[in-house]
């Protein structure tokens, strides 16, 4: 069994080479570019971890992991176009560096390439693998569309349950499916696959709540971002949506006023309302709630506890970060 | 054995239902919209014809045909964004009717859905089918990028062989692969698959030359388009590229002047140069050349001549149209 770090290195060793032909460069260079600007490769390593939970790592796990990482980067390219994002990991986004048509097409060819890798997997697993991969792929698209839909709504029009569902689709189901693909390749039973999937999905939601919390209440020096970045742009977050549910009519009116006027002390004032209506404490409990669901599913996987250590360590690392 | 028309009806009967879930509507309605605005369904019917060349139509041929038609429509959505096209088949394009983000995402989810269909094909054929499908898919992306690259070049910078290659990738390899997928499912040998592929590819190139020819020299009433539409927008066509190769320096200067100045009599003047340097006669010969290659490959397919009739009829129909 290997640690996350050891598996990251193993993954990178075979993924780090050029993934695409040289010609035509205006098609393939943008695709290669985004693969080269970093990223923690969490998803593909989850596939390797999911495999190793049940058995030694099979070559097929690398094929699935490569497909997952390509898919993730494809979504980044297209999402950045839709969100008009100029930067990604501190570097120009693909459509900014090249052009929007080049970015659309590079994403397309990257998505196609995913299925080249899935097609290398042993035949008896291919249908199941593709079903799981495609379900997640479709759901990620649904999540992105629902996110765009919700952006057009006023915060109090967004139902909290719908928001959690959107976050799960947009960010968590791919983590969950990454693990499940590994489990399929490792020979895990359907029941164990299901528990592993739910573990990944709920860790993903807990992580997103933590991310929203840290953006508001985290130490900006440790977190490496401007404090209250989400607040400044009126981003719908777990905190804002729940605050609007928990707060008094007067606090609600104050929040709306702050979001409309954008005064200099907006971040401090919004944080004060968050604190007054105890949404900070709520967020910690809500994160805990999803963590408990996640670890409950991890416990229920019928393999020796020792085999679960790398997954437990990774989740602990992701979910207790203060930076 | 069935005619093109009979197979079109069979195809539509199972493809014409809604292909996507209802929710979220802003994702799936745009995808469904483009499937509903018509199209001749040539590619999926080629798959059925390719199957029936060798054997009775198998359910798998419909799976492959559906994937091909979805893929084709995916490329239309994304190409229309890249080309900033307001209309497609006389109706608003997807990004015009909905939005650009919705169109990007609808295309993505449509591409993913292709592989749901391929995943339904019997296991022993799946790997080969995916290899053929993905090769064509990648090449269509390459063709679109090369087309955009060439658009940035001046006509005389574009090498004629490179142009033919671009056209083949952008428009012909999908026709060729559609036929080949049918042949795989029908049990055609590798050799027969190869001939069928080349038949489709060369018919596609011949068709494109004819299309360029008719735009310039066709009867606008029969053709249903404005005569010289390509000339008006200085579009790089087989005719223009070859004319620049064949004409005298004086004619070349005249063409450049017309393309820059856009005078009222531009179409007539350009057509006169085309006629003077005999590019109209050349185009007819060039189309004939690709037709001969295509039909040579059709002849070489080792099945009874009678089985080839529907393909021959379709090619004759496509390549002798005056409208």
């Amino acid at each position: 069994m290997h640690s996350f770090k050891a598996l990251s290195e193993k993954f990178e060793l075979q993924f780090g080479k050029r993934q695409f032909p040289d010609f035509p460069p205006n098609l393939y260079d943008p695709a290669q570019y985004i693969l080269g600007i970093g990223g923690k490769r969490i998803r593909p390593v989850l596939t390797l971890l999911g495999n190793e939970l049940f058995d030694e790592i099979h070559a097929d796990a690398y094929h699935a992991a490569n497909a997952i990482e390509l898919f993730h980067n494809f979504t980044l390219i297209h999402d950045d176009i839709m969100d008009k994002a100029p930067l990604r990991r501190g570097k120009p986004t693909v459509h900014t560096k090249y052009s929007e048509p080049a970015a659309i097409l590079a994403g397309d060819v990257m998505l196609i390439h995913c299925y080249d890798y899935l097609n290398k997997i042993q035949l008896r697993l291919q249908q199941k693998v593709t079903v799981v991969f495609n379900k997640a792929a479709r759901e990620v698209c649904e999540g992105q569309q629902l996110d765009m839909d919700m952006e057009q709504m006023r915060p109090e029009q967004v139902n909290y349950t719908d928001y959690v569902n959107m976050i799960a689709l947009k960010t968590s189901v791919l983590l969950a499916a990454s693990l499940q693909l590994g489990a399929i390749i490792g020979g895990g039973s359907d029941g164990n696959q299901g528990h592993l999937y739910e573990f990944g999905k709920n860790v993903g939601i807990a992580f997103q709540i933590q991310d929203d919390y840290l953006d508001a209440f985290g130490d900006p020096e440790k977190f490496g971002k401007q404090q209250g970045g989400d607040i400044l742009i009126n981003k719908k977050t777990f905190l804002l949506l729940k605050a609007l549910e928990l707060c008094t009519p007067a606090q609600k009116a104050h929040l709306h006023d702050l979001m409309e006027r954008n005064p200099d002390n907006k971040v401090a004032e919004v944080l004060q309302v968050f604190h007054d209506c105890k949404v900070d404490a709520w967020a910690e409990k809500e994160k805990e709630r999803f963590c408990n669901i996640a670890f409950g599913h991890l416990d229920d996987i019928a393999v020796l506890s020792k085999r679960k250590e790398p997954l437990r360590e990774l989740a602990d690392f992701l979910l207790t970060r203060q930076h």
Side-chain angles (χ1 to χ4, degrees), chain A:
Chain A
M1 290 209 308
H2 299 83
S3 66
F4 181 87
K5 189 164 169 291
L7 290 179
S8 296
E9 284 163 13
K10 274 167 165 294
F11 173 75
E12 208 58 36
L13 213 60
Q14 52 87 50
F15 188 75
K17 62 179 178 18
R18 189 171 171 103
Q19 288 285 333
F20 299 97
D22 290 329
F23 186 84
N26 290 341
L27 174 62
Y28 291 121
D29 286 354
Q32 195 60 42
Y33 165 73
I34 192 159
L35 297 180
I37 64 170
K40 289 185 290 294
R41 314 295 196 208
I42 288 179
R43 293 157 195 81
V45 176
L46 285 177
T47 301
L48 301 182
L49 285 168
N51 179 161
E52 213 174 24
L53 185 60
F54 301 99
D55 202 350
E56 280 182 27
I57 297 179
H58 190 281
D60 285 346
Y62 287 100
H63 300 324
N66 291 348
I68 285 284
E69 184 62 13
L70 285 170
F71 180 83
H72 175 58
N73 280 276
F74 142 75
T75 65
L76 297 183
I77 295 181
H78 280 193
D79 286 3
D80 283 342
I81 302 172
M82 296 180 221
D83 301 343
K84 300 190 188 304
L87 293 175
R88 157 83 50 196
R89 295 171 193 148
K91 299 264 170 64
T93 45
V94 175
H95 66 278
T96 311
K97 184 174 165 74
Y98 298 91
S99 69
E100 212 175 287
I104 292 174
L105 213 50
D108 293 345
V109 88
M110 201 171 246
L111 176 56
I112 292 164
H113 195 30
C114 295
Y115 296 93
D116 290 328
Y117 277 116
L118 296 186
N119 201 34
K120 293 181 180 181
I121 291 174
Q122 56 189 303
L123 220 49
R124 68 179 184 88
L125 299 181
Q126 246 184 53
Q127 263 173 328
K128 176 75 194 251
V129 160
T130 303
V131 166
V132 170
F133 183 91
N134 266 22
K135 176 171 173 284
R138 207 167 20 247
E139 287 177 344
V140 169
C141 293
E142 293 176 1
Q144 170 68 7
Q145 184 60 53
L146 290 171
D147 192 17
M148 294 192 295
D149 288 348
M150 288 181 186
E151 253 173 51
Q152 303 299 316
M153 296 160 74
R154 287 183 311 170
E156 62 273 27
Q157 293 178 302
V158 176
N159 175 288
Y160 179 71
T161 312
D162 292 346
Y163 179 77
V164 175
N165 181 44
M166 178 278 283
I167 287 292
L169 293 172
K170 188 173 160 148
T171 71
S172 308
V173 298
L174 191 60
L175 300 169
S178 302
L179 284 165
Q180 188 181 356
L181 291 179
I184 295 169
I185 291 161
S189 69
D190 283 353
N192 283 338
Q193 284 175 36
H195 286 304
L196 190 56
Y197 182 93
E198 289 300 325
F199 166 71
K201 183 171 156 184
N202 286 284
V203 164
I205 298 170
F207 184 82
Q208 194 60 48
I209 297 172
Q210 172 180 271
D211 210 49
D212 287 359
Y213 179 89
L214 289 176
D215 187 88
F217 297 108
D219 180 339
E221 283 198 18
K222 284 190 192 163
F223 195 44
K225 284 190 196 171
Q226 182 181 20
Q227 193 184 16
D230 291 344
I231 293 173
L232 282 171
I233 58 167
N234 294 344
K235 190 179 164 196
K236 288 175 196 82
T237 63
F238 280 94
L239 298 176
L240 176 62
L241 294 182
K242 200 67 190 182
L244 287 167
E245 234 181 88
L246 295 176
C247 65
T248 65
Q251 287 170 327
K252 197 171 186 168
H254 187 40
L255 275 179
H256 277 300
D257 176 62
L258 290 166
M259 288 193 283
E260 267 169 41
R261 277 197 305 118
N262 291 311
D264 286 346
N265 61 346
K266 177 177 175 184
V267 172
E269 289 281 312
V270 170
L271 288 179
Q272 188 60 50
V273 179
F274 282 2
H275 191 70
D276 291 345
C277 66
K278 301 194 175 59
V279 81
D280 46 355
W282 167 86
E284 291 189 322
K285 262 193 210 153
E286 187 74 347
K287 172 186 155 190
E288 197 64 23
R289 187 168 75 86
F290 282 106
C291 280
N292 287 339
I293 300 174
F295 284 103
H297 282 289
L298 187 62
D299 287 343
D300 286 346
I301 298 173
V303 299
L304 287 182
S305 181
K306 209 183 67 181
R307 298 198 78 90
K308 303 176 188 173
E309 267 317 299
L311 281 173
R312 206 182 310 264
E313 271 172 27
L314 175 63
D316 281 342
F317 170 73
L318 290 172
L319 292 172
T320 56
R321 68 183 188 130
Q322 297 301 317
H323 51 88

